[in-house]
Amino acid sequence: MDGLLRTRFRALWSRTVGGDAAEAAWRTLDAGYGAGMRHYHGWKHIADLLAGHDAVRNLPEFVDLDHDALDLAIVFHDAIYETDRTDNEARSADLFTTHAAPAGESERLRSVDAMIRATATHGPSPDPATRLMLDLDLAVLGAPPSTYAAYKAAIRREYGAVSESAWRLGRADVLGRFLARPRLYQTDHFHDRLEASARVNLTAEMDLQKPPLIGEYL
């Protein structure tokens, strides 16, 4: 898989950034996504998002977007992922900008930077490309139960240093904030296909995060 991703990345970099920084950028990405602690946020996550993007890029809702910018944002959005920090998205965007700097300023590169930063909150965006980027990143929430179960187990492994009680509180807070949104998915395509199943998955996990009743300790 990494070989195919590397070939795709080099072609993408050549089209969009150019210069001779592709190999250095790839090595930096591989050091992150290939790390042993990346149980979910590794190369498979990137490959899944790229495949998801490929599956919808020619739909009328998305056909006019800058798909190369989207691919760059996908590839870099979790380049830095440290579970004890809250600025991973900003640092990932800065990493992209550093590697792409020789290409100079451009609307495309600014768009990539903004899309990466938007993954910090997955909040509503006025930008159509960002909306698609965020929906692709959240598509796993609406996956079949077995896939969702594997996803949440992988996330828990990434937070292995966190105690179970702290994990329950933190995860419940994240799930609750997502469930409180009027829409999880910002594009019509993903909303129509995944919204209902995502809410079922999130609600089921939310129930599991509730602390046991006092009587259960007796």
Side-chain angles (χ1 to χ4, degrees), residues 112-181:
V112 174
D113 180 273
M115 280 190 274
I116 296 170
R117 293 177 190 277
T119 63
T121 62
H122 286 86
S125 173
D127 175 59
T130 301
R131 291 197 293 267
L132 175 55
M133 167 68 191
L134 297 178
D135 282 1
L136 288 165
D137 200 27
L138 295 183
V140 67
L141 301 184
S146 61
T147 302
Y148 185 84
Y151 148 75
K152 69 179 183 180
I155 294 292
R156 181 64 182 104
R157 290 179 68 195
E158 289 184 339
Y159 282 83
V162 177
S163 70
E164 185 64 18
S165 59
W167 167 258
R168 284 174 176 263
L169 287 172
R171 186 69 174 170
D173 178 64
V174 171
L175 296 171
R177 283 188 278 116
F178 272 108
L179 284 168
R181 295 182 177 189

Side-chain angles (χ1 to χ4, degrees), residues 52-53 55-57 59-62 132 135-136 139 183 185-195:
H53 182 203
V56 303
R57 65 172 65 216
L59 295 179
E61 187 177 2
F62 308 127
L132 175 55
D135 282 1
L136 288 165
R183 282 178 67 129
Y185 296 101
Q186 300 184 46
T187 66
D188 290 339
H189 174 84
F190 283 90
H191 178 269
D192 293 347
R193 287 158 179 79
L194 296 179
E195 185 83 17

